[in-house]
Amino acid sequence: MLIYGIRKREIANLLKSIAPYAMATFAISAFAQAAGPNAPASVTVQSGDSSLTAPPSIGTQLSGQEQSPKAAELFAPVTKANTPKIYTKPISSGPTEMDLRQLWSELKLNNPQLSSLRESYLSAKATVPQIAAPANPQVGLVWSGMPVNSPFALGGANAPSAANPNGISSNNAISVAQPFQFPGKKSLAADIANTNAEALLASSESTYLQLGAQLSTLYYNALAAQKQLQVLKESVMRLEMVKNVAKARYANNAAAYVEYLNAQVAQSAAQADQFNVERQLQVALNNINTLVGRHSREKLVLRGDVRRAMSSVPTLVELEDYAESSHPALKSSALQLDAARKGVDLAKKAYLPDFQVIGSSYTPRGPFSANNGAMFYQFELDLIIPLYFFTKEKYGVEQAQRNQAAAEAGNISNRQQIVLAVNTAYAAYEQAKNQTQ
């Protein structure tokens, strides 16, 4: 026990003698790491395992496994062959400077979603003349009375023979048939198709406004991020000066070491905020490029003043009245309701018969023989009457009436949603305006 106590006391004395040198060594190493004013604080871990010093390679991992075709496609380099057509335009060498008005123009011209809607509208308009055009006529050629043993004796069907000294009478007929719908059916169907096409155009205008609102939000968020990034860069520079002053004060024993640590922590926090804002700004610019139909990696410089967006805003009542009278979504729903009402009228016209007019000419000769007989003419009028107790027509009218009721409910719902959206946006504007004042 005595030996153990003496040994324990010697170890304690040894630790007391080493402690000042250890603290001095720690302080010297700390100043050595912070000697570079711009060098960020870092921690280095030394290990015999070299795999910890670098991240694993994706190619190495894939080579050790069975590479699927999908994985090879994902990690293949980007070439002109596997680049989508929308991105095949050459990237501009320098940054492009745009304001909000120019971005809206680019959005309307180059956005692929709006281009698709425009083509759909033109496709729908192309169906209108097709529906309004009359039905195609039918032309027929008929011959009859040929001998049994010579079915293709076209020119000599009525020639005398030993069995038939007087020949066999051969009839040749040419007929033209033209179907007609009951007056008003085809024009009403064309009018319905045209109304649906105009509704599709109004829907595309509504989509354009939605994409424009998204573009404006991204634009002003990017401008705010640019301003915030500028402030953060200045803050990082000022905190660097504060950190150097704290370091000098500590070297002259005029301040505690904790002041230098606090300045270093504040600068690191500002640098982290700067990095986050830079990422947000880059994501916003990429989204703006995508919306206006440009490559997301193209350089873009935004030009504008955030304060100009807060000027000359109408009142809530004026905005509601303007939305109810001019919003494209309401215009589209109104056109769809009009088309549904016309569809009911067209379904009721299905009870009316359609027509077919046939004109024919007959002659007692073969179709390719000399004209050796008189010509006879025939006119025929056919009625296509809806039968089977009007089952198809009755349920067609019911279907059209259900579509009209659905269109009316959809029109009311769209109107309510538009007014609610205007109220919500105006409330957000008033709140933001009060916060800025």
Side-chain angles (χ1 to χ4, degrees):
M1 292 297 294
L2 181 60
I3 297 174
Y4 177 75
I6 295 172
R7 181 65 175 173
K8 183 176 181 181
R9 190 164 53 252
E10 291 178 354
I11 293 174
N13 294 332
L14 180 60
L15 291 176
K16 290 180 181 180
S17 61
I18 293 176
Y21 298 101
M23 293 296 294
T25 305
F26 173 76
I28 293 172
S29 62
F31 277 113
Q33 291 181 4
N38 297 325
S42 61
V43 178
T44 304
V45 179
Q46 296 181 355
S47 174
D49 189 2
S50 61
S51 62
L52 296 177
T53 60
S57 174
I58 295 179
T60 306
Q61 293 180 356
L62 291 177
S63 60
Q65 304 174 1
E66 182 181 358
Q67 297 187 10
S68 62
K70 187 65 177 176
E73 179 182 353
L74 288 176
F75 297 105
V78 178
T79 60
K80 186 176 181 180
N82 59 10
T83 302
K85 292 184 178 180
I86 189 175
Y87 295 142
T88 54
K89 295 187 298 183
I91 300 178
S92 57
S93 58
T96 304
E97 186 175 357
M98 291 186 182
D99 57 7
L100 185 57
R101 187 178 298 275
Q102 292 173 333
L103 288 174
W104 274 73
S105 300
E106 291 290 326
L107 172 71
K108 189 173 184 179
L109 293 176
N110 300 325
N111 184 268
Q113 185 175 355
L114 295 179
S115 300
S116 174
L117 291 175
R118 281 194 297 268
E119 295 300 327
S120 299
Y121 164 71
L122 295 177
S123 174
K125 289 291 286 187
T127 62
V128 177
Q130 300 179 45
I131 297 175
N136 294 325
Q138 301 176 8
V139 180
L141 176 63
V142 181
W143 62 90
S144 62
M146 292 178 292
V148 178
N149 296 326
S150 58
F152 296 105
L154 301 178
N158 57 350
S161 62
N164 300 290
N166 297 323
I168 298 177
S169 176
S170 176
N171 293 325
N172 171 27
I174 299 177
S175 64
V176 178
Q178 176 65 56
F180 293 96
Q181 288 188 348
F182 194 88
K185 282 187 178 180
K186 189 170 286 290
S187 60
L188 185 56
D191 191 12
I192 293 174
N194 184 65
T195 305
N196 287 328
E198 295 299 328
L200 188 60
L201 177 61
S203 177
S204 66
E205 292 176 355
S206 177
T207 304
Y208 168 62
L209 289 183
Q210 293 176 5
L211 294 177
Q214 182 180 355
L215 176 63
S216 299
T217 302
L218 290 171
Y219 171 79
Y220 287 113
N221 287 340
L223 287 182
Q226 287 180 353
K227 187 65 177 179
Q228 185 179 2
L229 184 60
Q230 180 182 358
V231 173
L232 285 174
K233 288 181 179 179
E234 294 176 356
S235 300
V236 170
M237 295 176 58
R238 292 190 180 96
L239 288 173
E240 178 67 23
M241 298 171 61
V242 171
K243 185 181 71 173
N244 294 333
V245 171
K247 178 181 176 181
R249 283 168 55 84
Y250 176 73
N252 295 327
N253 296 324
Y257 182 68
V258 69
E259 292 186 7
Y260 172 74
L261 292 179
N262 289 336
Q264 194 174 25
V265 169
Q267 185 187 25
S268 299
Q271 289 175 346
D273 293 340
Q274 177 183 348
F275 175 78
N276 291 333
V277 174
E278 287 177 351
R279 292 296 92 200
Q280 294 174 7
L281 178 60
Q282 188 60 43
V283 169
L285 293 178
N286 291 345
N287 290 333
I288 290 175
N289 277 329
T290 303
L291 279 176
V292 299
R294 291 157 49 93
H295 198 285
S296 61
R297 292 194 297 268
E298 287 194 57
K299 297 180 181 180
L300 179 64
V301 177
L302 300 181
R303 181 180 69 250
D305 188 1
V306 181
R307 294 172 294 180
R308 294 181 58 185
M310 305 290 290
S311 61
S312 65
V313 177
T315 62
L316 178 59
V317 178
E318 293 175 348
L319 289 175
E320 289 181 352
D321 293 340
Y322 184 78
E324 290 183 355
S325 60
S326 304
H327 199 282
L330 297 181
K331 181 180 178 182
S332 175
S333 61
L335 289 172
Q336 290 176 2
L337 178 58
D338 187 22
R341 290 170 178 170
K342 294 176 181 178
V344 175
D345 296 335
L346 181 61
K348 292 180 179 179
K349 286 183 179 294
Y351 288 101
L352 302 175
D354 295 331
F355 307 97
Q356 180 170 324
V357 178
I358 302 176
S360 305
S361 66
Y362 293 88
T363 181
R365 61 180 177 84
F368 300 105
S369 63
N371 188 3
N372 56 357
M375 297 290 292
F376 300 92
Y377 299 95
Q378 178 178 330
F379 180 79
E380 179 182 350
L381 177 62
D382 299 333
L383 294 180
I384 304 174
I385 303 174
L387 293 179
Y388 303 105
F389 305 100
F390 301 106
T391 302
K392 182 176 68 174
E393 290 74 19
K394 180 177 65 176
Y395 285 102
V397 172
E398 182 180 356
Q399 178 185 3
Q401 291 175 346
R402 299 296 183 183
N403 289 335
Q404 179 183 351
E408 291 175 352
N411 187 28
I412 296 174
S413 176
N414 289 336
R415 188 174 299 275
Q416 293 175 347
Q417 291 178 4
I418 292 299
V419 173
L420 180 60
V422 170
N423 281 271
T424 303
Y426 194 83
Y429 161 73
E430 288 289 341
Q431 182 179 3
K433 182 179 179 181
N434 292 332
Q435 290 177 354
T436 57
Q437 291 177 353

